[in-house]
Amino acid sequence: MKLVFTSPRSELVGLMQGILESAKIPCEIRNNVVSQALVGLQFSPELWVLRDKDYDEAMALISEFNQKTTDNLPEPEETVPPNIAFKKFRTNIHLWLVISLILFIPPWFVLNIYAGASDDIRHPIQLWFSLFHNPANVKFSRIFFFSCFIGVPALVVGWIIQCLVILIQDAVAKIKRHSKK
């Protein structure tokens, strides 16, 4: 099995497949679904011949077709108007972690996690220190669940707030750039 043709234009790959199949050369297209599903990434459909002995004949047919007709094919239509500019979204990991930490720390001092009469631990910070004092205790699972139920939402909300801050910073910077002109 050998690669004989690839192009970001899937219609050309399909056309080449038709040419090879009309010459009784078995072939298949790969990456066609991936290139359509992941728009913007560098996946191009590929045409592969199934038998290695057909490779030379397939390459001859493809090069013959390319010499005759490639120049006459119309350019693909643009799906995005040329005046729209896409930009990559910025992220500030340090800001995200600081915001998440700010959201994560207050519950350690505010929440009451008193589980029963057998221990006198009422706050997560006491639970954390008691873990190091008596590590064989079941208190680790309470720390784990507390961290998951408070920590994960703090990370998610921190990410959302960080995104909003970055968007606002970009908008302000854009306004300042336009006001200078």
Side-chain angles (χ1 to χ4, degrees):
M1 185 177 259
K2 292 186 177 181
L3 175 67
V4 292
F5 184 76
T6 184
S7 172
R9 296 177 60 186
S10 59
E11 67 273 10
L12 280 178
V13 178
L15 181 62
M16 295 301 168
Q17 181 185 25
I19 290 170
L20 295 183
E21 287 177 347
S22 67
K24 306 289 188 227
I25 299 174
C27 56
E28 72 177 31
I29 295 177
R30 292 186 176 178
N31 287 346
N32 196 25
V33 176
V34 174
S35 65
Q36 292 172 1
L38 301 174
V39 176
L41 296 179
Q42 297 299 323
F43 289 106
S44 294
E46 302 171 341
L47 183 62
W48 292 71
V49 292
L50 300 179
R51 297 183 306 224
D52 291 345
K53 66 180 184 176
D54 294 330
Y55 178 77
D56 293 330
E57 183 182 355
M59 290 303 292
L61 287 169
I62 289 172
S63 64
E64 178 184 336
F65 178 80
N66 282 337
Q67 288 174 356
K68 291 180 180 178
T69 58
T70 305
D71 297 332
N72 297 333
L73 289 175
E75 289 298 316
E77 295 179 19
E78 290 188 23
T79 57
V80 178
N83 58 352
I84 294 179
F86 291 103
K87 66 176 188 172
K88 289 186 175 181
F89 181 77
R90 289 186 316 115
T91 187
N92 186 337
I93 293 176
H94 298 295
L95 177 64
W96 173 35
L97 293 178
V98 167
I99 293 170
S100 297
L101 190 64
I102 290 169
L103 294 172
F104 182 68
I105 288 179
W108 281 85
F109 299 102
V110 174
L111 290 180
N112 185 350
I113 61 164
Y114 185 68
S118 62
D119 59 8
D120 57 347
I121 297 172
R122 295 184 183 273
H123 295 286
I125 196 75
Q126 291 173 325
L127 184 64
W128 182 258
F129 286 118
S130 71
L131 177 70
F132 294 110
H133 185 272
N134 188 4
N137 209 331
V138 184
K139 297 172 184 173
F140 179 74
S141 64
R142 293 196 317 200
I143 287 179
F144 175 76
F145 286 115
F146 177 82
S147 298
C148 287
F149 289 122
I150 300 297
V152 172
L155 287 171
V156 171
V157 172
W159 174 257
I160 293 169
I161 293 171
Q162 176 268 154
C163 289
L164 293 173
V165 168
I166 294 295
L167 288 171
I168 291 169
Q169 286 176 346
D170 287 348
V172 168
K174 187 176 181 180
I175 291 170
K176 285 181 181 179
R177 279 195 308 267
H178 286 294
S179 67
K180 288 181 181 179
K181 290 182 180 180

